[in-house]
């Protein structure tokens, strides 16, 4: 158990809809990262937050947005969904007080867009 | 631009073989090089990591070889087992910025 909690684990929705994925980081970690993993693809970095502030942005579409709240949990909002958005979305946390440099991944949220 | 290039994309070895996965990077500011292992339906988990002040690190059957001058690092799995069948990702980061760059992954299959 990595200590990172993601909900929901599975989500099926239709094109054009909007969904919210939630992530609770490991206790003490200040950074939250979001990654997208499509079938047989690598980990595509979407965005990073550190202690509530956006730290880095990767290949995140304009239809997607994220935020990190004061309690450090994070949400990834995906809107106007398209078939190609079907993927596993991972949240990872790190940058805690000890900051070993390690990223801890959740088990992912599998999004299916029909 | 891919910050970390990983090869091969897939690898099949017999049990007991020594699969080798290679990664290369360009940014000399990277100071932390982890390898992550991912089983189907699970999130990646840290397997082993190295910092550029050493050329090799071993943890059990897993070894990272690091060549700073060539800007390359590789993962060797000794006496590979069917349970090692997974996808392996190399990564590089600048610790102070906490930004991670992942390779494209290698799907390893170990045949009994």
């Amino acid at each position: 158990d990595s200590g990172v909690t993601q909900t929901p684990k599975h989500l099926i929705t239709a094109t054009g809809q909007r969904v919210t994925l939630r992530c609770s980081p490991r206790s003490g970690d200040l950074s939250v990262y979001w990654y997208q993993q499509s079938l047989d693809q690598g980990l595509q970095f979407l965005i990073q937050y550190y202690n509530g502030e956006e730290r880095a942005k990767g290949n995140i579409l304009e239809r997607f947005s994220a935020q990190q709240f004061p309690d450090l949990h994070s949400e990834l909002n995906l809107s106007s969904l398209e078939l190609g958005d079907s993927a596993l979305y991972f949240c990872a946390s790190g940058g805690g007080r000890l900051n070993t440099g390690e990223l801890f991944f959740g088990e992912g949220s599998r999004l299916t867009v029909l | 631009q891919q910050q970390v290039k990983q090869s091969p994309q897939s690898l099949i070895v017999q049990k007991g073989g020594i699969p080798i996965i290679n990664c290369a990077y360009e940014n000399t500011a990277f100071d932390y090089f982890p390898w992550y292992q991912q089983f189907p339906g699970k999130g990646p988990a840290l397997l082993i990591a190295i910092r550029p002040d050493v050329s090799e690190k071993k943890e059990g059957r897993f070894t990272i070889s690091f060549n700073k001058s060539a800007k390359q690092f590789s993962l060797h799995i000794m006496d590979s087992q069917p349970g090692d069948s997974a996808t392996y990702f190399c990564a590089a980061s600048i610790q102070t910025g906490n930004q991670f760059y992942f390779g494209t992954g290698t799907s390893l299959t170990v045949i009994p």
Side-chain angles (χ1 to χ4, degrees):
Chain A
D1 182 5
S2 67
V4 178
T5 304
Q6 288 188 249
T7 57
K9 291 193 186 304
H10 301 276
L11 192 55
I12 302 174
T13 189
T15 55
Q17 295 299 304
R18 172 190 169 94
V19 298
T20 297
L21 309 180
R22 193 177 191 279
C23 171
S24 293
R26 211 171 58 115
S27 177
D29 284 350
L30 300 175
S31 276
V32 168
Y33 304 74
W34 286 98
Y35 289 88
Q36 180 192 57
Q37 186 176 41
S38 301
L39 190 64
D40 294 332
Q41 295 295 310
L43 294 161
Q44 299 295 318
F45 170 64
L46 296 179
I47 198 164
Q48 177 200 357
Y49 280 84
Y50 179 83
N51 202 20
E53 299 290 327
E54 182 182 304
R55 172 67 71 89
K57 188 176 276 192
N59 300 321
I60 187 167
L61 300 172
E62 285 192 10
R63 300 183 287 107
F64 296 180
S65 65
Q67 55 183 326
Q68 186 179 29
F69 295 86
D71 67 352
L72 299 178
H73 92 270
S74 177
E75 292 181 355
L76 178 66
N77 300 296
L78 315 174
S79 61
S80 303
L81 286 168
E82 301 175 359
L83 296 177
D85 297 328
S86 296
L88 256 177
Y89 291 85
F90 285 106
C91 168
S93 75
R97 183 172 58 84
L98 293 179
N99 195 16
T100 60
E102 181 177 354
L103 277 188
F104 297 86
F105 283 81
E107 300 230 322
S109 292
R110 182 173 293 282
L111 172 66
T112 302
V113 182
L114 301 176
Chain B
Q1 181 186 2
Q2 190 72 28
Q3 295 267 2
V4 179
K5 296 182 180 178
Q6 183 173 347
S7 63
Q9 186 175 1
S10 63
L11 196 51
I12 301 174
V13 300
Q14 296 277 356
K15 177 183 174 182
I18 306 176
I20 300 172
I21 305 171
N22 300 298
C23 285
Y25 64 97
E26 286 298 324
N27 189 344
T28 55
F30 289 142
D31 58 5
Y32 179 67
F33 301 88
W35 284 89
Y36 282 79
Q37 180 188 54
Q38 184 183 26
F39 293 105
K42 298 292 185 181
L46 180 67
L47 184 63
I48 186 173
I50 197 168
R51 299 194 187 278
D53 53 342
V54 297
S55 60
E56 185 177 276
K57 183 173 182 180
K58 291 183 180 181
E59 286 187 6
R61 295 183 294 106
F62 300 91
T63 299
I64 299 179
S65 296
F66 186 82
N67 187 329
K68 189 173 181 178
S69 61
K71 292 184 286 186
Q72 295 176 348
F73 58 110
S74 59
L75 176 70
H76 302 234
I77 305 176
M78 306 301 176
D79 187 27
S80 58
Q81 302 295 314
D84 297 329
S85 298
T87 299
Y88 293 81
F89 293 95
C90 63
S93 76
I94 303 170
Q95 190 172 0
T96 53
N98 276 138
Q99 294 184 35
F100 286 76
Y101 300 90
F102 282 85
T104 49
T106 297
S107 175
L108 172 66
T109 302
V110 181
I111 301 171

